[in-house]
Amino acid sequence: MQLTTKGRYAVTAMLDLASNDTGKPITLDIISQRQNISLSYLEQLFAKLRRAELVKSVRGPGGGYLLDAAAKDINLTQIIEAVDENIDLRRCKGMGSCHNGRQCISHQLWCEVSEQIRTFLNGKTLQMVIDDHNLTKGL
């Protein structure tokens, strides 16, 4: 797994949306400014997040985006996978064919590490990350 800017920015933008939730839609322009992420990049990410039903869009004046579920109900795996990131460290993507068509010597190791990462990310919700951040800031 190589978490690219796509996955990191998607998580960051979703955290921004969750931590600034007032019940009113937030524009991508505001998230872009607060998080220093390109607006056009956010538009691409939010199209995928919307298709995954993690956010909903509100059109018209005062429009923008809202979480489609409570922050406590959205985990990091959902976000990362929604933007087409892969949480599998195996080169063979689980096929067991990375070493001249056969399973490599480290296949089982990467299976276990990938599962640990998936378990960790599944167990972390947006709300948990926000709460951890606020705790370290002393809020």
Side-chain angles (χ1 to χ4, degrees):
M1 166 189 158
Q2 180 179 350
L3 192 58
T4 65
T5 54
K6 189 170 29 171
R8 287 196 314 270
Y9 285 177
V11 169
T12 299
M14 290 289 285
L15 286 166
D16 184 285
L17 198 58
S19 63
N20 293 289
D21 185 10
T22 62
K24 295 180 182 175
I26 298 173
T27 66
L28 293 182
D29 186 49
I30 290 172
I31 296 172
S32 171
Q33 291 173 31
R34 283 196 294 234
Q35 300 304 325
N36 196 28
I37 302 171
S38 155
L39 178 59
S40 61
Y41 202 55
L42 282 175
E43 289 169 346
Q44 295 171 36
L45 294 175
F46 271 73
K48 292 179 179 191
L49 294 167
R50 189 174 48 77
R51 280 193 296 275
E53 299 180 351
L54 296 176
V55 297
K56 55 187 168 192
S57 61
V58 177
R59 295 179 183 226
Y65 285 90
L66 297 163
L67 293 179
D68 205 16
K72 69 179 181 59
D73 296 324
I74 299 174
N75 70 51
L76 302 185
T77 299
Q78 291 172 288
I79 299 166
I80 292 167
E81 289 181 343
V83 296
D84 303 323
E85 287 282 75
N86 187 2
I87 303 176
D88 191 345
L89 292 172
R90 299 169 294 185
R91 249 188 347 194
C92 66
K93 308 289 186 253
M95 301 301 293
S97 60
C98 61
H99 188 68
N100 297 323
R102 297 186 325 264
Q103 192 176 91
C104 69
I105 195 168
S106 58
H107 181 82
Q108 190 56 39
L109 168 69
W110 300 126
C111 287
E112 292 173 21
V113 173
S114 294
E115 187 55 37
Q116 289 292 322
I117 292 169
R118 177 174 289 286
T119 299
F120 175 80
L121 294 172
N122 271 333
K124 282 284 187 183
T125 66
L126 289 173
Q127 190 61 56
M128 291 168 76
V129 175
I130 291 166
D131 291 346
D132 289 348
H133 175 72
N134 290 337
L135 190 63
T136 61
K137 280 179 38 180
L139 297 179

